[in-house]
Amino acid sequence: MRIDIPEGQHPIEYVWGDMVPGIGMAAANFSLSVYAHTTLGLREFEAARLRVAQINGCVFCLDWRTERDGEKVEEEFADAVTEWRTTEAFDERTRLAAEYAERYTLDHHGLDEEFWDRMTAHYSQSEIVELTMSLGSWLAFGRLNHVLGLDSVCVLPGH
């Protein structure tokens, strides 16, 4: 960990809450909203989230699986996300979610008209905005936690 945590303090709560309460709590609320208010299907949501986690290297995010109504993606899903270009486990929306996550994370300037034509053929404008905001949350906070060395102790509230 790159931040000194006082004895007896939970690292995530201390860094996000105590050190920068005006920023950290707003960031935490945004991060939690992505999970609480998503309208995206579980598979496309998890494909995008896991692809960002794979690129960020966030230990917690790589191990986490979003659960909805008692459902989670299958164990092999993370491997399929890595192979999003060729896997037969994905429908077109899930494949596009993984592709968007990768391109957003690694080369956002390279999102060309051909890509947007494919996205708008499968996602509504509201879904694109929602997915984009989710990607921003995962990219920013996964990197923040990894860079500060917090990802090995990260726990989402209520879990």
Side-chain angles (χ1 to χ4, degrees):
M1 210 166 335
R2 293 181 177 83
I3 302 296
D4 296 327
I5 308 299
E7 187 70 32
Q9 292 283 336
H10 184 280
I12 295 294
E13 292 172 5
Y14 177 74
V15 171
W16 283 62
D18 296 341
M19 291 186 82
V20 291
I23 299 170
M25 292 312 298
N29 286 332
F30 174 49
S31 181
L32 291 171
S33 291
V34 166
Y35 293 88
H37 302 291
T38 186
T39 64
L40 299 169
L42 179 61
R43 292 180 67 77
E44 58 213 33
F45 184 90
E46 279 294 272
R49 189 196 63 74
L50 274 166
R51 191 64 195 125
V52 172
Q54 290 167 347
I55 293 165
N56 275 349
C58 178
V59 174
F60 176 78
C61 299
L62 287 166
D63 288 340
W64 172 261
R65 295 297 176 271
T66 302
E67 182 177 327
R68 286 206 205 132
D69 302 321
E71 302 268 332
K72 290 184 180 184
V73 294
E74 65 275 10
E75 235 2 84
E76 308 81 28
F77 193 82
D79 292 333
V81 170
T82 303
E83 302 297 326
W84 64 264
R85 288 173 184 82
T86 57
T87 186
E88 294 183 20
F90 289 176
D91 63 16
E92 194 57 29
R93 280 176 62 99
T94 305
R95 188 179 317 282
L96 274 166
E99 178 183 357
Y100 188 26
E102 181 173 302
R103 293 178 73 172
Y104 181 100
T105 305
L106 296 174
D107 184 23
H108 63 285
H109 292 288
L111 294 168
D112 55 17
E113 287 307 312
E114 183 275 331
F115 170 79
W116 288 114
D117 288 345
R118 289 186 292 117
M119 276 299 283
T120 57
H122 294 279
Y123 284 89
S124 70
Q125 289 187 352
S126 294
E127 289 172 322
I128 290 170
V129 171
E130 180 182 332
L131 182 54
T132 304
M133 287 187 175
S134 297
L135 292 170
S137 170
W138 299 321
L139 176 62
F141 303 137
R143 284 193 183 174
L144 178 149
N145 286 334
H146 184 72
V147 166
L148 296 180
L150 299 171
D151 57 333
S152 62
V153 295
C154 188
V155 177
L156 290 177
H159 291 87

